[in-house]
Amino acid sequence: MTRVWKWNRPVTVREVLEDLQQERSIAYTTVMTVLDNLHQKGWVRREAEGRAYRYEAVSTRAAYAAALMNDAWSQSDNPAAALVAFFGMMSDEQRQALRDAVRIVQGPETPDTASAPDTGDENPGTAQDGGGR
């Protein structure tokens, strides 16, 4: 996938092979098999061009990473503990990126929520906290 994303356009097995061979020896059939496996898994689409195929990424690298993280997290028998352990492995920069991402997903704060204290109750003013309206 890294090579397909790197090219950022539909690529042939031959192009990926030549790119990889700059770093190591690899067989054409190996690259062809890997791209075919990626196609069968739905990570790349392909179009016939003559006797060959051109392969193109179906999603971005970020979406792929998110899917991998979601898959790993969903397999945990204790998702909260898995998240705590994962966050504990993060660098300061990664934790800041996480905070930024949460802000983006949550959207802009309204004046009411920006100044309200965080009580852990998502529904302030309910009978549960004694402030029923």
Side-chain angles (χ1 to χ4, degrees), residues 61-99:
R61 182 180 220 138
Y64 177 74
L68 289 175
M69 289 186 287
N70 187 56
D71 186 49
W73 185 51
S74 67
Q75 293 179 32
S76 173
D77 60 348
N78 188 340
L83 282 174
V84 169
F86 179 63
F87 296 156
M89 295 177 196
M90 294 175 133
S91 68
D92 289 340
E93 293 81 19
Q94 289 170 323
R95 281 191 289 277
Q96 184 58 51
L98 176 63
R99 285 189 285 276

Side-chain angles (χ1 to χ4, degrees), residues 8-132:
N8 200 27
R9 65 168 174 77
V11 295
T12 64
V13 171
R14 175 77 47 206
E15 289 173 322
V16 174
L17 173 72
E18 290 172 358
D19 193 30
L20 287 168
Q21 284 181 332
Q22 293 177 21
E23 297 172 16
R24 62 183 174 172
S25 177
I26 189 167
Y28 181 92
T29 54
T30 302
V31 177
M32 183 175 62
T33 299
V34 169
L35 285 169
D36 184 60
N37 288 342
L38 290 169
H39 176 257
Q40 289 181 29
K41 290 179 179 183
W43 288 106
V44 296
R45 66 177 141 258
R46 67 183 182 193
E47 279 194 35
E49 183 176 283
R51 294 180 5 177
Y53 287 109
R54 284 206 171 266
Y55 294 86
E56 182 178 18
V58 169
S59 65
T60 65
R61 182 180 220 138
Y64 177 74
L68 289 175
M69 289 186 287
N70 187 56
D71 186 49
W73 185 51
S74 67
Q75 293 179 32
S76 173
D77 60 348
N78 188 340
L83 282 174
V84 169
F86 179 63
F87 296 156
M89 295 177 196
M90 294 175 133
S91 68
D92 289 340
E93 293 81 19
Q94 289 170 323
R95 281 191 289 277
Q96 184 58 51
L98 176 63
R99 285 189 285 276
D100 293 343
V102 168
R103 277 196 285 285
I104 290 168
V105 170
Q106 288 178 335
E109 292 183 353
T110 62
D112 279 351
T113 60
S115 61
D118 183 9
T119 62
D121 182 6
E122 291 189 48
N123 297 314
T126 62
Q128 181 179 351
D129 67 358

